[in-house]
Amino acid sequence: MALELWQQRLKESVTTVDELAQRFGIDPEPLREVAARYPLKITPGYFDLIGAVGDPLWSQCVPDVRELQAGGYADPLAEAHYSPVPAIIHRYPDRVILLVSNNCAGYCRFCTRKRKVGSSDHAVSFREQREGIDYVAADERIRDVILSGGDPLILPDSVLEDLLVRIRAISHVEIIRIGSRVPVTLPERITPALCQILKKYTPLYLNTHFNHPRELTPASAAACALLADQGIVLGNQTVLLHGVNDDVATMIELLRGLLKIRVRPYYLHQMDLVEGTAHFRTPLQTGLDIIRALRGPVSGMACPHFVVDLPGGKGKVPLLPDGLRYRDGKTVITTSPGELVEYPDL
Ligand SMILES: *Cc1c(COP(=O)(O)O)cnc(C)c1O
Ligand code: SF4
């Protein structure tokens, strides 16, 4: 069967350090070991967005020798512990993550599932997908199924639809979510045919993953428009990354740009304690400072929750700059610019 355009583009992805060396004139040798340990894949579209060595798009997708430094955890969220069957992560009673693939359109160097993505040892089999769906069917508490991976939209339409049909057939499942970075890395994947499929399984939420305003391209905007026009509710999860988006101006441009393409910012994630990603991590205070700077100047519509996913699988906790204080028996609230205002609390 002929490949679809997106499959063709995917095949043209950059997967070797030599291609990087050719285009950017860098020395490929130190990167070979890194790419052997954590796979390299950059779609042609994303590759074209890179402006220069070390820029915010480069650092998200190009291997870096610092990935080989010791420290952090292979599985920082103890997902293995919350995995009753291989394809399921069940940490909260009413919702599960269903891992449907361990491939992505491109591999992000900061990925929380760095230990798994793109590795043949962690491929998700057809049987594991089925086992995962049977698990959901057997637990009536589960009202929310989050398709994740890897990237679920890397699957062909027919496979994806088969999964959606089976999940929708479970009467206690109320909503389906899909987590996908393809609107950013492979916007060609968002075809009218795909949107027609997704629309049938409403309510369906798609959380995508933009990290930098330069990822907001005409192609990614068109992909989001196709989805939104079919009633798919779009959210965004950004990872706070040192040297990529850890400054207020960049974050504001990203968040406002997302609203313009009908994507509602949902989470700003503190970078998990993943092995090989320490160079991306920021102090917690950086995220808090950004959140404080947003409040007021930026619409609440554009403000994500800043969340830290605690080690050991203790769950996500939203962090807020300390707004509420008590002074001389009175309640005092800090405004966005830092003024202390007394509030007649009960
Ligand atoms: C983040 C997460 C969810 C979804 O949490 P929401 O806060 O509802 O978006 C579900 N399960 C696991 C294991 C998670 O890490
Ligand atoms: S697309 Fe998502 S799952 Fe895939 S490498 Fe990037 S962050 Fe990880």
Side-chain angles (χ1 to χ4, degrees):
M1 215 169 74
L3 290 181
E4 287 191 54
L5 174 69
W6 67 270
Q7 291 168 322
Q8 191 70 46
R9 297 286 280 168
L10 198 54
K11 275 183 71 172
E12 294 159 5
S13 291
V14 170
T15 56
T16 67
V17 293
D18 297 299
E19 292 164 88
L20 290 169
Q22 224 171 48
R23 157 102 178 254
F24 289 99
I26 55 156
D27 175 10
E29 296 314 319
L31 301 183
R32 288 195 200 285
E33 192 186 343
V34 188
R37 170 130 181 223
Y38 302 114
L40 156 65
K41 185 161 68 172
I42 310 169
T43 57
Y46 202 85
F47 195 63
D48 286 343
L49 292 181
I50 298 173
V53 173
D55 80 5
L57 291 97
W58 170 281
S59 24
Q60 290 187 67
C61 62
V62 173
D64 186 300
V65 289
R66 290 173 291 182
E67 292 173 49
L68 300 177
Q69 284 170 7
Y73 308 89
D75 178 9
L77 311 180
E79 290 184 333
H81 180 74
Y82 291 89
S83 184
V85 297
I88 290 279
I89 305 168
H90 195 179
R91 194 196 304 154
Y92 305 105
D94 75 332
R95 52 207 194 276
V96 295
I97 292 180
L98 177 62
L99 302 168
V100 295
S101 166
N102 79 323
N103 288 321
C104 304
Y107 297 119
C108 310
R109 310 316 299 178
F110 50 83
C111 181
T112 292
R113 303 210 182 98
K114 204 173 169 70
R115 67 188 186 282
K116 286 183 160 183
V117 291
S119 134
S120 51
D121 296 345
H122 291 97
V124 184
S125 69
F126 175 73
R127 195 182 145 162
E128 287 167 337
Q129 291 174 348
R130 286 297 174 82
E131 243 178 14
I133 293 174
D134 290 344
Y135 178 87
V136 173
D139 187 340
E140 288 186 6
R141 296 174 304 167
I142 300 168
R143 64 176 84 235
D144 179 353
V145 176
I146 303 164
L147 301 190
S148 182
D151 199 314
L153 297 186
I154 206 74
L155 298 172
D157 287 357
S158 55
V159 175
L160 194 63
E161 178 148 34
D162 181 64
L163 292 167
L164 291 169
V165 169
R166 288 170 195 281
I167 297 166
R168 258 290 159 251
I170 303 170
S171 59
H172 53 265
V173 172
E174 295 171 1
I175 67 168
I176 299 175
R177 293 194 248 179
I178 295 179
S180 173
R181 190 150 150 85
V182 304
V184 181
T185 49
L186 188 67
E188 302 89 337
R189 171 67 186 105
I190 309 299
T191 58
L194 174 68
C195 296
Q196 287 302 324
I197 292 174
L198 297 180
K199 146 185 209 182
K200 286 193 256 171
Y201 304 94
T202 187
L204 189 144
Y205 292 76
L206 193 148
N207 278 330
T208 182
H209 180 173
F210 286 83
N211 288 330
H212 192 276
R214 274 173 43 207
E215 294 172 347
L216 299 160
T217 62
S220 62
C224 292
L226 276 176
L227 289 161
D229 283 347
Q230 296 305 327
I232 312 300
V233 185
L234 299 174
N236 186 70
Q237 307 196 178
T238 293
V239 183
L240 184 56
L241 299 166
H242 177 63
V244 173
N245 57 16
D246 61 339
D247 67 276
V248 173
T250 303
M251 195 58 78
I252 289 184
E253 193 184 342
L254 171 65
L255 298 171
R256 288 187 174 145
L258 286 166
L259 280 190
K260 275 166 64 178
I261 60 169
R262 289 186 275 173
V263 178
R264 174 85 158 83
Y266 177 43
Y267 280 149
L268 174 63
H269 290 271
Q270 168 72 9
M271 182 61 226
D272 291 329
L273 303 163
V274 190
E275 188 173 24
T277 65
H279 53 295
F280 284 115
R281 208 156 301 122
T282 53
L284 286 171
Q285 193 60 46
T286 303
L288 287 171
D289 289 344
I290 289 175
I291 294 297
R292 183 191 287 291
L294 295 180
R295 268 290 163 199
V298 176
S299 158
M301 286 283 293
C303 293
H305 303 283
F306 175 47
V307 288
V308 52
D309 217 325
L310 295 174
K314 303 290 179 185
K316 287 188 192 64
V317 178
L319 296 183
L320 284 168
D322 56 340
L324 193 60
R325 289 186 217 174
Y326 300 96
R327 196 178 53 185
D328 310 327
K330 302 234 170 69
T331 303
V332 178
I333 294 177
T334 315
T335 67
S336 170
E339 190 190 344
L340 297 178
V341 179
E342 232 178 78
Y343 179 82
D345 199 12
L346 290 178

